[in-house]
Amino acid sequence: MNQSALRIGIWVYLAIFFAYLLGPLAIMSVTAFNSSEFPRTTPWECLTFDWFVELFRDERILNGIKNSFIIGAGTVVLSVAMGLAAALMLTQIWPRLRATYYTVVIAPILIPGVVLGISTLVFWDRINRFLGLGPDSFLSNGIFLTVIGQSTFIASYCMLVLVARLQRYDMGQTEAALDLGATHAQAFRKVLLPFMRPAIASAAVLAFLASFENYNTTTFTFGQYPTLTIELAQKVRYGINPSISALALIIVLLTVFFALLHDATQRRRAMAAAARLGAPVTVREVAGGIRLPRVLSGNPAAVGLVIFLIGVITVVGTATAYSPAACIARVDAEKREAAERRIEDLRRQREEERERNFDGVFAPEKLTPDSGEDAGATDDNGSGFGNVFDPGNLQGEEEGATAPEDDADTSGFGNVFDPNTLTGD
Amino acid sequence: MPHFLKEFFNRNGTGMGLVMLGLVLFWTVGLIILPQLSMLDFSFRPNLPPPEYGGPKDVYTLENYRYLVFGPEGGSQDFNRVDLRVFYRTIIAALFVTLFNLVLCYPIAYYLGQSKTSKIRIFALMLIIPYWINEILRAFALRIIFGESGVINSALVGLGIFDVPFDFIRNDIALYAGLGYAYILLMIFPIYNVIESLDRNQIEAARDMGASWITIHRRVVIPYAKPGISSGCTMVFMLTAGALAAPQILGGPSSLWFTQLIYQQFNDNNDWPQGAAYAIVLLVTCILLVLAIMRLFKVNMGDMGK
């Protein structure tokens, strides 16, 4: 009794935990398909794919992706090289220096990214000035600084990954190669490097992902070359729209896909290893690791992905059948109608107000053309100034500034002046 | 020392040895040590236009640090209340976020550490996937949810709990949720790694001898998991205190995070020495706090790397 209650408790807890972890991403992905100007799920307006189109038309995003790849490649090369050298050094450094050395190379993981960005910027700026180079020299180039700044801490990750593998390496192999007449470079290239290859691959992937999503360090060093993350941050901070959700959905799907692929290959490799040890696994089973049904049977995440893809396909199917443009036009028409009705109401109210007042010089609409709703709500104050001095009015404007989603609805004009409505027609 | 070097080159060959040594020195000295020292030095200098560098005005000064505590010279207030409050709030909030993450993640890490490996794969995937989504996008996702017309507000208003949408962003709830969300994985994995190696027989034995559920955790599991807990807490605390994206996206208009002040000094005020001084203050405070807490809970730096 008690045991089963505990079990239920654990599952409820796990459910809440993963809802917290995955829920936001799911909701964000859904908003990519809503035609609403602000990313949201309710009220659901129209199903649309325009945000994906808009995303791929966005020059800055595309440019950001390009810069991210250039910087990512540079960071991978530099951090893996430094991480490998540092890992090799760790195995043979003078024992008394070892603890200090380890602290120094691990420290960048704990130093806040902001601090790393600043120190990189300040230091290379000084070097640049010391060498008497101008402000457009290579050393103050955004790509160079970002690669350097990111590699400072990403190399630590790489080193940790590489050290774990290096610990299982038998130095006798290198010595044997040297005894057989190989040069040091040959021994490194033909003996050590092949052994380290899986770890180098993981370190490279890790380094690329860390570089791609880094914000704190890059934000100080990017100069003229904003990465995708920087562009996203700019967009999110100054007015958001669902094309960011569209990008997020693409990234989520890519991540899930590669995670599943990685999982499947690992599992296949584990089975192959088990087979080699003489475990009762037939060759067919090993080969079957990549067959689709097998992946699905052992992998609920894959099942989830397939269900999701089926969902996407149905959605696409219905979308082509019912034509999103018509729906958007209808919603726009509804909005415009509502706005016109509101303007009409407003005009009537103001006329009544004007009749009550002795003069129309300070007619409220001249002073506050777009605080219509508020004026309508407080028409009983009867002052000639409308509610220009109403504190709520000011606050309403501030709300609008911080929450751009309201623009479309609270402005008296609906979205008549929205360029999208024009193109929609 | 030459002996050590000679041995090193003998073992690796001159060419390979030079490449290795060069890379390691470039990283440790050129990328880690010198930039930090350079920033420290820079933080003690006045903010001068480039032509005046090295000139008579370029002297060491404590002005940048004084500014954080006392505010601008001849200012109306005795202390720089705004910046100090932001600093204080950042540290306290980062501590609370760390504690929140620990409380949230400990049961999960314990459960994962004690369950069978087949389940682990799926849970590990579900844990790692959100972590590889861009930090900005994760904050953006929370902003959609906590927004005025977001899912939570729609639900609350729809159920009639609130009449008007609650402003989660202005009340910093979104910020704390976002900071807690960002680094969950870094709390779970260290604790999970340690608990996984705990012999289940120890728990069985404690249970057989009549220990209650709480006693088992307090006397057996937590002492064993201490290195994992402390390294998880250290990482989450440092990253939260140094976070920039989540406060920029989820923070209310009036509430700042200390890193945002640093960012402003660099990008808006163009006062690099001041920004460097603030960064040094943040770094040193975080390190001291972590060391103090480690001393308090009697954990060694060496245990943490595990």
Side-chain angles (χ1 to χ4, degrees), chain A residues 256-257 259-261 263-264 267 289 291-310, chain B residues 121-122 125-126 129:
Chain A
V256 171
F257 175 75
L260 290 179
L261 195 71
D263 192 53
R267 192 178 298 197
R291 271 213 324 258
L292 198 64
R294 169 121 208 141
V295 169
L296 292 183
S297 69
N299 201 339
V303 177
L305 186 67
V306 168
I307 292 171
F308 181 80
L309 284 179
I310 291 171
Chain B
R121 306 178 73 90
I122 294 138
L125 268 183
M126 277 161 62
I129 285 169

Side-chain angles (χ1 to χ4, degrees), chain A residues 117-397:
Chain A
I118 292 174
S119 57
T120 306
L121 187 62
V122 168
F123 178 64
W124 290 96
D125 185 58
R126 281 192 162 185
I127 297 271
N128 199 31
R129 245 182 304 117
F130 180 73
L131 295 176
L133 299 170
D136 51 351
S137 75
F138 176 71
L139 291 183
S140 52
N141 177 296
I143 289 181
F144 170 79
L145 284 179
T146 309
V147 167
I148 290 282
Q150 290 184 348
S151 298
T152 308
F153 72 97
I154 292 175
S156 301
Y157 295 145
C158 293
M159 193 203 73
L160 287 178
V161 172
L162 294 168
V163 157
R165 175 103 182 149
L166 201 60
Q167 272 166 355
R168 280 185 282 147
Y169 180 69
D170 182 4
M171 272 298 173
Q173 291 188 33
T174 304
E175 275 158 32
L178 292 176
D179 284 348
L180 292 173
T183 63
H184 285 282
Q186 278 173 329
F188 175 77
R189 212 177 63 231
K190 300 215 161 144
V191 181
L192 183 63
L193 217 52
F195 176 81
M196 295 296 291
R197 186 163 297 146
I200 288 176
S202 341
V205 171
L206 190 74
F208 184 79
L209 287 175
S211 160
F212 200 81
E213 73 153 18
N214 181 265
Y215 175 69
N216 290 3
T217 303
T218 315
T219 192
F220 287 99
T221 54
F222 70 86
Q224 304 295 317
Y225 300 92
T227 62
L228 178 65
T229 310
I230 299 289
E231 289 290 6
L232 277 177
Q234 307 276 11
K235 267 183 176 291
V236 172
R237 283 171 70 198
Y238 308 111
I240 52 187
N241 74 46
S243 67
I244 303 169
S245 304
L247 179 68
L249 176 64
I250 293 171
I251 292 180
V252 168
L253 286 182
L254 281 178
T255 312
V256 171
F257 175 75
F258 281 109
L260 290 179
L261 195 71
H262 177 73
D263 192 53
T265 34
Q266 283 236 314
R267 192 178 298 197
R268 197 153 43 96
R269 202 172 290 155
M271 269 198 287
R276 215 175 295 137
L277 286 174
V281 180
T282 62
V283 179
R284 245 189 99 207
E285 264 181 291
V286 175
I290 46 167
R291 271 213 324 258
L292 198 64
R294 169 121 208 141
V295 169
L296 292 183
S297 69
N299 201 339
V303 177
L305 186 67
V306 168
I307 292 171
F308 181 80
L309 284 179
I310 291 171
V312 168
I313 290 167
T314 15
V315 162
V316 172
T318 50
T320 46
Y322 97 121
S323 151
C327 171
I328 291 170
R330 201 185 65 230
V331 168
D332 281 344
E334 275 170 18
K335 272 192 200 161
R336 213 173 312 153
E337 225 168 81
E340 272 164 19
R341 217 175 304 130
R342 218 157 42 205
I343 292 170
E344 192 59 37
D345 284 352
L346 214 62
R347 199 171 295 148
R348 212 175 310 125
Q349 274 167 6
R350 281 184 185 157
E351 235 138 65
E352 286 169 14
E353 214 169 294
R354 202 174 306 165
E355 279 170 23
R356 242 181 290 142
N357 288 332
F358 51 89
D359 202 334
V361 181
F362 295 115
E365 75 258 31
K366 280 191 185 154
L367 294 167
T368 57
D370 56 17
S371 62
E373 276 188 337
D374 295 332
T378 55
D379 58 346
D380 54 341
N381 73 3
S383 119
F385 295 97
N387 54 357
V388 189
F389 301 118
D390 184 348
N393 204 0
L394 290 171
Q395 203 178 352
E397 259 170 30

